[in-house]
Amino acid sequence: MKTAKRIRGLPPYLFAEIDKKIAKAKAAGVDVISLGMGDPDRPTPHHIVESLKSAADDPKTHRYPVYQGTLAFRQAVANWYGKSRGVELDPVSEVVALIGSKEGLAHISQCYVDPGDYNLVPAPGYPVYGIGTTLAGGEVYPMPLLASNRFLPDLDAIPVDVANRAKLMFLNYPNNPTGAVAPREFFADVVAFAREYDIIVCHDAAYSEVAFDGYRPLTFLEIDGAKEVGIEFHSLSKTYNMTGWRLGWAAGHPQVIEALARIKSNIDSGVFTAVQHAGIAALEGPQDCVTTMQRVYAERRDAVVEGLRELGWNIEKPQATIYVWVPVPQGYTATEFASLVLEETGVVITPGVGYGEYGEGYCRISLCVEKERIMMALKRWKDAGIKYC
Ligand SMILES: *Cc1c(COP(=O)(O)O)cnc(C)c1O
């Protein structure tokens, strides 16, 4: 059975090699500590689960959903932007519900990219931006995120002929995998750049609420002129521990939202209505669960960073996200270091090259296990003599 060229170009599952090693360690009886996955370990808050239960009891939720999302859910999204960021949105024309934001990030290229067109894609970055581009027949132009520029792309480094042929620019702040955040001036430059070259900005704000020490990440839509040049993807996954529920949205420029909704309505049939009810409960219910989430990750982040500092790493505490982006000691590639750590200490971390060549030299530590396990992981590193040099 010969597969299409399209699928032959897809990378195999990125972490297949590491997964094999994890399975081997587990089979040998090692108590594996996984700091690999970016998947919140705490349960979805109780009131959100209860909302799903009662909504699922109502037969009205059992039929095909409204494709672009129920008006009530889209209204809740518009209210959330208004209340939390002072952004006004028309729920009818400027918001579409997504089956998780990953789905929309994959499909947006289908709306705008013809073969030969470029998309500007952060590197390292969440893989779906580039995969969606390739599946649409487009070319990925990587925008390197380097420590020397605080992990922001250098817009001046993008060649004019590339900018002229580019359709979409993907951005993601707070950033996975680097943990970096973006200042207002950067986003303002992005708006000007997008205007100049007629590029649609697709900002992935999955971590806009996962921030610490009183820091409040900007969303793209609150920047002057942003709604005229782009859209923002958002998700309930990280804010409310709802990765398994598959609920997100895109909001912003009405023409872009319309195009995305049109592609989607031809491919999928929307999010289960009861899940949208639960999404409303999340956005409009008590927000102390968000404060708790922030406190829990901040404590874990502190445990990781302080533990690493004791082992010679000179790193800053990220202000947001569930990741710490850690340079690997000299003499190792990212993959070699991740393998060494797994073999010597039973701790799983993600080699940065999993996020593209510009991730070489780093590993990503995620904060999705309890603080005690994180401390145990770092104690094992210390005992095994793993340190930064
Ligand atoms: C987790 C994550 C998302 C959320 O994806 P969903 O499909 O909404 O679960 C989006 N973007 C990035 C960068 C992420 O890390």
Side-chain angles (χ1 to χ4, degrees), residues 210-232:
V210 188
F212 319 121
D213 314 325
Y215 173 72
R216 192 77 203 271
L218 289 165
T219 58
F220 184 62
L221 292 184
E222 69 201 87
I223 307 302
D224 286 340
K227 206 162 71 176
E228 283 88 68
V229 298
I231 62 172
E232 186 150 64

Side-chain angles (χ1 to χ4, degrees), residues 125-193:
Y126 192 53
V128 71
Y129 315 136
I131 305 271
T133 304
T134 312
L135 288 177
E139 306 285 333
V140 171
Y141 186 84
M143 300 185 292
L145 309 185
L146 306 176
S148 55
N149 201 36
R150 301 198 68 84
F151 301 107
L152 299 168
D154 178 1
L155 302 178
D156 295 332
I158 300 166
V160 171
D161 60 316
V162 171
N164 279 327
R165 284 168 63 190
K167 304 305 284 285
L168 308 178
M169 175 191 280
F170 289 98
L171 291 172
N172 163 223
Y173 291 98
N175 184 258
N176 175 11
T178 68
V181 298
R184 186 176 290 274
E185 309 81 70
F186 170 74
F187 280 132
D189 289 348
V190 167
V191 171
F193 186 88

Side-chain angles (χ1 to χ4, degrees), residues 38 99-103 105 126 129 172 176 204 206-207 234-238 242-243 246-248 323 364:
I99 310 174
S101 56
K102 186 177 185 180
E103 175 261 300
L105 289 161
Y126 192 53
Y129 315 136
N172 163 223
N176 175 11
D204 177 353
Y207 297 97
H234 217 295
S235 172
L236 289 262
S237 286
K238 310 293 162 45
M242 291 175 72
T243 47
R246 311 316 301 135
L247 180 59
Y323 310 108
R364 192 191 75 172

